[in-house]
Amino acid sequence: MRPARALIDLQALRHNYQLAREVSGARALAVIKADAYGHGAVRCAQALEADADGFAVACIEEALELRAAGIRAPVLLLEGFFEADELSLIVEQDLWCVVHSLWQLEAIEQATLRKPITVWLKLDSGMHRVGLHPADYQAAYQRLLASGKVAKIVLMSHFARADELDSNSASEQVAVFEAARQGLSAQVSLRNSPAVLGWPQVPSDWVRPGIMLYGATPFEEANAVAARLQPVMTLESKVISVRELPAGEPVGYGARFITPKPMRLGVVAMGYADGYPRQAPTGTPVLVAGQRSQLLGRVSMDMLCIDLTDVPQAGLGSTVELWGKNILASDIAMAADTIPYQIFCNLRRVPRLYSEV
Ligand SMILES: *Cc1c(COP(=O)(O)O)cnc(C)c1O
């Protein structure tokens, strides 16, 4: 059997969720969209359900997967419905629904609903992706109330640059939000992971942590709270071939690495078809036989090469950590010019093994 696998530490997931609640002092919707950022939405939801205030997903398909698995906790659809006919399922499955556009508001007004629904009314406070214009916000709130189809409204918005702690952007968005919701007495939800970790002064009855649940920092620089996160996913495999090369020999596709000296090379069963980023250059860190080493040459579809020259204890069958508790996914992301979100979401083909400890 191919030795590539992703170990998922559910105890670490619970630790990170509790940390989000502890540092925010708020209720927390665990964001498990996109199959829990590659960690497996159903297993993660099951591991958190006893403690969780609720979950958030991107669409009704993801919510239905949770309900089918027996998850009864609140589930918020972060983009609401894409088509009005989803509303009957939203009622039937008892889902919470973001309203981010006037067309959604109109669809609710026109729908016949068996029961009133819970709406999270989203304001565009400056990101300019989705959300109602500040000038429309109060009227939208009043129309939802007047429709008789809504049991509860939570006021929400989303930050564009909360991961940049020296930027004014988040404060400016909070000011826009505060002005738009003036006089409305409803619960509010603003903070994603970077805002939970880095913006303690931002008001929130509800926080929406995603990436931090999985133990990765959204920041490029060090952060005291992020340092308390525990990585949840360990991507590992084994050395399947070892070779000794003299100086001047090319390694891998495109001969992107030429041995500068006699070297000992290990081939690992892991490639970009598993989600390991092809953009990771020579020098990207790996852990082999418990020691840090580095990637050599281009990542192929099913294999990659690492340096064993200074790791004499490593050989055929040695365990390799591509990311996890020792090699941080955020460091791999940085090396590959992407973000840990994408590193996790790209995971595929490798079996996921779940552990409670
Ligand atoms: C994905 C998402 C989150 C979670 O963001 P993280 O940066 O992973 O914490 C929160 N809120 C909304 C609206 C989202 O789409």
Side-chain angles (χ1 to χ4, degrees), residues 2 4-6 235-236 269-270 273-275 347-352:
R2 189 166 180 257
R5 56 202 197 145
L235 181 65
E236 63 171 42
M270 178 65 62
D274 303 299
L347 186 79
R348 66 183 80 82
R349 185 165 72 181
V350 300
R352 288 183 297 226

Side-chain angles (χ1 to χ4, degrees), residues 3 38 49 79 84 88 98-99 136 148 173 179 196 227 241 288 291 313 354:
E49 194 177 21
E79 283 140 63
S88 54
V98 165
V99 167
D136 297 331
Q173 286 193 252
V196 168
S241 175
V288 54
Q291 191 175 320
Q313 75 273 28
Y354 292 85

Side-chain angles (χ1 to χ4, degrees), residues 31 33 37 78 122 156 158 192-194 208-211 341:
V31 180
K33 61 191 178 189
Y37 297 35
L78 286 168
K122 187 163 187 176
M156 75 175 289
H158 192 55
N192 54 359
S193 297
R208 307 187 305 268
I211 194 72
Y341 300 74

